[in-house]
Amino acid sequence: MTICLVDVEQVIHSCPAHPEPHPYDTRRTVVDVIPGGPCRAPVTIRCGEVTTTIPCHRHEPAKRQCGACRVIVTERTITNHHPTGVAG
């Protein structure tokens, strides 16, 4: 299972159309990646006379991928900034 550790930074504001504060700019920074290792359930595919084996993450949907190919994204921190001042 590959684990990606991410920091999220959001800039929020209020506007006449939507008076409740809401994010308008979201940035994500990848802090760390822990690799899951080699595929444990490779898939054999055929095209005519040619046969090859590929990792399951290239062929299967996420719920059918092996534990090594599946990706988990974890948000380490979420920071909200609400700028003050008037746009000019």
Side-chain angles (χ1 to χ4, degrees):
M1 182 173 318
T2 300
I3 300 172
C4 298
L5 193 59
V6 177
D7 285 344
V8 179
E9 187 174 342
Q10 297 178 338
V11 180
I12 58 175
H13 75 149
S14 300
C15 57
H18 302 285
E20 292 295 320
H22 56 278
Y24 70 91
D25 184 19
T26 303
R27 297 176 190 235
R28 293 172 180 85
T29 305
V30 177
V31 178
D32 191 18
V33 177
I34 302 167
C39 180
R40 294 183 215 132
V43 178
T44 301
I45 58 172
R46 293 174 187 81
C47 183
E49 299 287 322
V50 180
T51 303
T52 190
T53 303
I54 60 172
C56 65
H57 75 270
R58 293 185 54 201
H59 190 266
E60 301 294 332
K63 65 182 178 181
R64 291 197 327 226
Q65 292 176 5
C66 72
C69 288
R70 196 167 296 127
V71 176
I72 303 287
V73 177
T74 304
E75 295 173 340
R76 183 176 75 165
T77 60
I78 301 174
T79 307
N80 293 317
H81 298 284
H82 192 198
T84 58
V86 179

